[in-house]
Structures are given as structure tokens and as C-alpha cells.
Amino acid sequence: MNIFPEKCKTIPVTAGFLCFCIFSGDLYAQEPEMISESTGSKIEFSHPLVTESISPDTKARITFFGTAVTTTTFIQNYDLELEYSPAPFFSVHLDLPYAITRSHNGSTSGLDEIDLNFKFATFALSARKILLGYGIGLAIPGAIKNGSDNAFYINPFINGGVMWKRWEWTAYLTFAFAANRPHDEDIPAGLETRLTALYKISRKFQAV
């Protein structure tokens, strides 16, 4: 889910890219090693900073984002990602975004929307460099949410990815259903699609 408030104006692309490179890093991450039981082939998808990987993994990552809203207001977003994979085909992923808003009127802070996801992957097509996955997630409102946003969401999803030379293409399809909406509010179901193209410039640098 998006950790930025809906009314945020994003910083320029160049500045944002530098921010991702300088202020984000993994505390711990194991190299995902996807093994097909039938063919023995391996398939590894990257874990870029700006989107969630389709591969189950074990990692801990802290990311810092700075986003200017107006000339008098500045929002700082800190994101803690924790993921644990007890088996190559499954992982539990927890996302804890924390937002701080500063302005001339003072500052406010609190947890943004918390995401808990259960990810599964199948290796049936790993010999062809294709990984397919599915899972379910929970989106829980944080302290800075109010009104209808107090509803938490159940988010089933499917995903897939293909590798070709230095390229990785991935796709996410996520549904959102409000689970505890108030009786007097109508919160429609949602659908989010995400397409990502990643190019491996080198072992340490990637372009998304």
C-alpha cells in the first residue's frame, strides 16, 4: 500500500532517486534462492526499494523518504519492513510506515497504514525464468487515520514475474475489501494493479 498521504505532491524524480539510494538500506537480507523441485533450476528476483518483490525472502529494511507538500509544510516518512521466510515458497511480510508532519502550526506524527502480508510462490515454471505467486494481506489503519479510514482491509493478491537477460518484469494484482466499515458508510471494494520493469546495471545498482 502507498505510504504517502493522498494529497502529497511528490518531489522531482531525480531527487527522489537520490533519496532512495542514499537514505535506504537493508539491515539484513538473505539472497532469495528459488529452487524448482522438478528441475532443480534457480530463479531469483530482486528486492528494489520502491516496490515489493514477488519473491519470498527474509529481510529487515529501514527506508527514509522526504516529501514536500507546500512551502510551509514538510512530511517525513520512515518505513520499517520486516519479512521472514521459513520455507522458499512462503514468507510473512510486515510493513510499518511512520509519518511526521512539520509546519508553522507545529508537528504531528504517528503510524500510517500497517500492512501484514502472507506471500506464497510456485516454481512450476522456474526453468523458464517465470515465478508465479499469490497471497493475502491485511491493511490496518494507523494512528494518523480517521473517519472511514478506520476500516481495515483484506487484500487478496496474485503476482508474477519473468526474467530475460538483465531485465525483470513483475506484475501485482491486489483486491481490497473493507472488513469493519461503519453501517452508515459505503466503502466500495478496490483494485490495484502494479507493473514494474527492473534493469540490473550491475550487481549493486538497479534501475526501476
Side-chain angles (χ1 to χ4, degrees):
M1 303 295 288
N2 188 5
I3 65 172
F4 292 105
E6 293 181 359
K7 296 183 179 180
C8 263
K9 296 180 180 179
T10 57
I11 54 182
V13 173
T14 303
F17 177 77
L18 292 176
C19 180
F20 292 139
C21 290
I22 296 173
F23 296 105
S24 180
D26 288 344
L27 296 179
Y28 172 78
Q30 75 174 21
E31 197 68 26
E33 189 172 275
M34 304 307 169
I35 304 176
S36 170
E37 296 180 356
S38 59
T39 64
S41 61
K42 301 178 182 180
I43 179 170
E44 302 175 1
F45 276 82
S46 302
H47 295 262
L49 300 179
V50 294
T51 186
E52 175 60 24
S53 173
I54 65 173
S55 297
D57 190 24
T58 295
K59 70 175 185 291
R61 181 166 68 190
I62 295 177
T63 307
F64 167 78
F65 300 95
T67 304
V69 179
T70 67
T71 56
T72 59
T73 305
F74 190 79
I75 294 180
Q76 291 178 315
N77 290 280
Y78 300 85
D79 187 56
L80 173 62
E81 272 188 272
L82 302 172
E83 187 173 2
Y84 175 64
S85 176
F89 60 86
F90 170 72
S91 70
V92 180
H93 178 266
L94 178 64
D95 190 26
L96 298 169
Y98 190 84
I100 301 175
T101 302
R102 293 187 174 91
S103 67
H104 295 311
N105 298 324
S107 63
T108 58
S109 62
L111 283 172
D112 205 333
E113 190 172 75
I114 302 168
D115 286 326
L116 176 63
N117 295 293
F118 301 91
K119 297 165 54 178
F120 296 86
T122 175
F123 312 128
L125 300 176
S126 62
R128 299 183 179 182
K129 300 297 183 181
I130 297 174
L131 181 66
L132 302 176
Y134 59 94
I136 190 167
L138 297 175
I140 306 167
I144 64 175
K145 296 291 185 179
N146 55 69
S148 62
D149 287 332
N150 285 324
F152 73 86
Y153 290 82
I154 299 175
N155 303 326
F157 61 85
I158 56 175
N159 55 46
V162 59
M163 293 180 176
W164 181 71
K165 296 184 178 180
R166 290 177 176 261
W167 287 96
E168 295 181 10
W169 289 277
T170 60
Y172 254 93
L173 183 63
T174 306
F175 302 90
F177 303 97
N180 64 332
R181 58 188 178 187
H183 296 292
D184 58 344
E185 294 189 30
D186 182 19
I187 305 176
L191 175 64
E192 177 188 354
T193 57
R194 187 192 316 160
L195 301 174
T196 304
L198 181 145
Y199 182 77
K200 294 182 178 180
I201 301 172
S202 67
R203 185 176 180 181
K204 295 294 184 180
F205 294 94
Q206 303 164 342
V208 180

